[in-house]
């Protein structure tokens, strides 16, 4: 029981990255809204460190909360209004950066064809990555993988019929098929421990840059708003389609590096999953058969996922090819 209570207490608040996140942290610590009245979301870079950390601070109230922050903050109306301004800025930036459209099949077809000269992060790690770079990759991905599948669970009550049933089947696998030790978040915690890293929830929040936070913030935004259920489904499908090929490359990289077995097991588990066809045909297909007007939102979710993943990939590869850390604070 003490361990359960400790887990429910929530992670420690992170360090501010600018006036927006500083104001939210002050509000949390002082239990009053006045600090938020000094700042405006419209003054910040929507893809910048400050706004992305600020969104993460707000969204985490819907997951495990923060140590020392009362649970009532989750539905504080003034904070929700402040968060809405952050979300509007982030959404507008995403919409401006992608091409949009309604051709869902074409978006999926593009993801199923890998260029012969592909040179992404997992290709780099497979072919020449070093152990320090792999450990940094784990730290970046820990922000999501330690809550893997949680953002997508919010869309379940917003679906119906075949789409709902199929998505729940995918989530059942993500949550270990009824076995706590096989929950994917637990498998990643095991991976971190085996790699000699901190496996505490959000243990690397202060280390990772905005490009890592933005991916998880996108999931949370789409998941928390019924308006964006189509985008969340599009994102989830895009993530599942790319998972198995990426996992194969990472498993090969870890084998080459003679990494501990729990590190490899996390990725072999994802190689064996067959979620991409379920998501494409049984979830997206069924959703659009029932609500064809959501095609534009599904495309937006797919393209936003690709945009933010490319942003993270560019950051990682630029740092690693220059023999620099990709983290804000190097790993110990």
């Amino acid at each position: 029981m003490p361990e359960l209570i400790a887990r429910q207490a929530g992670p420690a608040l992170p360090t501010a990255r600018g006036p927006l996140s500083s104001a939210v942290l002050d509000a949390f610590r002082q239990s009053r809204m006045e600090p938020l009245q000094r700042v405006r979301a419209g003054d910040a870079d929507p893809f910048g460190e400050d706004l992305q950390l600020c969104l993460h601070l707000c969204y985490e109230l819907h997951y495990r909360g923060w140590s020392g922050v009362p649970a009532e903050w989750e539905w504080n109306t003034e904070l929700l209004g402040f968060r809405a301004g952050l979300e509007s800025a982030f959404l507008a930036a995403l919409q401006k950066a992608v091409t949009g459209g309604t051709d869902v099949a074409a978006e999926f077809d593009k993801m199923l064809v890998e260029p012969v000269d592909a040179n992404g992060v997992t290709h780099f790690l497979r072919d020449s990555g070093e152990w320090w770079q792999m450990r940094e990759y784990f730290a970046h991905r820990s922000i999501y993988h330690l809550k893997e599948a949680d953002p997508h669970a919010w869309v379940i009550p917003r679906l119906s019929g075949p789409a709902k049933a199929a998505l729940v089947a995918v989530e059942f696998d993500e949550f270990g098929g009824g076995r706590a030790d096989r929950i994917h978040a637990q498998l990643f915690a095991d991976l971190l421990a085996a790699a000699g890293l901190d496996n505490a929830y959000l243990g690397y929040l202060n280390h990772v840059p905005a490009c890592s936070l933005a991916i998880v913030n996108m999931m949370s935004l789409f998941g928390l708003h019924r308006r964006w259920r189509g985008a969340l489904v599009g994102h989830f499908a895009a993530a599942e389609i790319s998972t198995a090929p990426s996992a194969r490359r990472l498993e090969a990289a870890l084998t080459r590096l003679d990494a501990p077995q729990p590190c490899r097991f996390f990725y072999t588990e994802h190689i064996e999953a067959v979620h991409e066809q379920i998501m494409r045909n049984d979830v997206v297909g069924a959703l659009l058969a029932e609500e064809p007007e959501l095609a534009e939102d599904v495309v937006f979710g797919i393209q936003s996922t690709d945009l933010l993943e490319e942003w993270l990939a560019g950051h990682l590869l630029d740092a690693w090819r220059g023999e620099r850390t990709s983290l804000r604070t190097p790993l110990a």
Side-chain angles (χ1 to χ4, degrees):
M1 185 62 69
E3 181 181 358
L4 179 61
I5 293 172
R7 287 179 179 273
Q8 290 177 335
L13 289 168
T15 303
R17 301 187 188 180
L20 287 174
S21 53
S22 180
V24 171
L25 289 166
D26 285 346
F28 285 173
R29 291 180 177 123
Q30 299 169 19
S31 292
R32 59 193 187 93
M33 295 301 299
E34 284 81 357
L36 297 183
Q37 298 167 7
R38 304 194 304 260
V39 293
R40 286 178 3 98
D43 295 335
D45 176 0
F47 292 131
E49 297 289 345
D50 192 26
L51 188 139
Q52 289 301 322
L53 177 60
C54 201
L55 269 178
H56 200 88
L57 285 166
C58 294
Y59 287 144
E60 193 56 38
L61 294 169
H62 298 288
Y63 291 101
R64 302 192 190 183
W66 297 103
S67 178
V69 179
E72 289 76 14
W73 273 90
E74 180 181 6
W75 299 111
N76 181 291
T77 55
E78 291 183 71
L79 181 64
L80 290 174
F82 179 78
R83 192 189 81 189
L86 304 173
E87 290 175 327
S88 294
F90 186 32
L91 278 167
L94 287 173
Q95 290 167 327
K96 183 178 180 180
V98 301
T99 57
T102 59
D103 194 340
V104 175
E107 294 298 323
F108 284 142
D109 288 345
K110 285 189 289 187
M111 286 189 288
L112 293 170
V113 178
E114 182 179 25
V116 294
D117 59 346
N119 59 354
V121 170
T122 56
H123 300 83
F124 176 91
L125 290 170
R126 179 195 63 191
D127 298 338
S128 60
E130 299 176 22
W131 182 235
W132 70 269
Q133 294 161 333
M134 183 64 75
R135 293 176 83 243
E136 287 198 352
Y137 182 78
F138 294 159
H140 284 280
R141 292 302 191 184
S142 70
I143 306 303
Y144 168 64
H145 281 311
L146 291 178
K147 60 162 61 81
E148 185 166 342
D150 287 350
H152 310 116
W154 279 316
V155 83
I156 294 171
R158 290 150 187 181
L159 303 178
S160 61
K164 182 178 214 169
L167 189 135
V168 168
V170 173
E171 287 281 83
F172 183 67
D173 285 347
E174 300 282 344
F175 291 129
R179 291 181 52 184
D181 63 324
R182 296 297 290 270
I183 293 173
H184 287 184
Q186 180 60 54
L187 296 181
F188 200 79
D190 297 341
L191 171 153
L192 291 171
L197 294 168
D198 183 359
N199 67 354
Y201 183 79
L202 292 185
Y204 289 104
L205 180 57
N206 278 324
H207 291 69
V208 303
C211 49
S212 292
L213 299 181
I215 296 170
V216 187
N217 286 338
M218 173 192 66
M219 299 180 202
S220 298
L221 192 160
F222 291 163
L224 282 166
H225 293 273
R226 182 179 178 276
R227 159 68 181 87
W228 294 109
R229 64 194 181 281
L232 190 282
V233 167
H235 151 72
F236 198 6
E240 289 298 331
I241 287 172
S242 64
T243 289
S246 295
R248 289 190 189 94
R249 291 188 287 270
L250 289 166
E251 197 279 331
L254 291 165
T255 298
R256 177 178 61 80
L257 293 167
D258 196 25
Q261 190 274 339
C263 296
R264 300 198 298 271
F265 182 73
F266 177 81
Y267 293 104
T268 56
E269 180 76 1
H270 284 72
I271 292 170
E272 294 169 3
V274 289
H275 296 165
E276 63 272 14
Q277 291 302 319
I278 297 174
M279 288 299 305
R280 179 174 183 173
N281 300 321
D282 300 335
V283 178
V284 175
L287 175 66
L288 294 180
E290 184 176 349
E291 300 183 88
E293 68 276 10
L294 293 182
E296 184 175 4
D297 292 342
V298 172
V299 168
F300 177 54
I302 294 169
Q303 292 180 350
S304 294
T305 302
D306 185 56
L307 173 77
L308 296 181
E309 288 288 351
E310 286 191 1
W311 178 23
L312 173 61
H315 171 80
L316 294 175
L317 292 173
D318 182 64
W320 291 344
R321 287 169 177 159
E323 291 296 313
R324 304 187 310 274
T325 180
S326 62
L327 297 167
R328 289 167 55 83
T329 305
L331 296 174

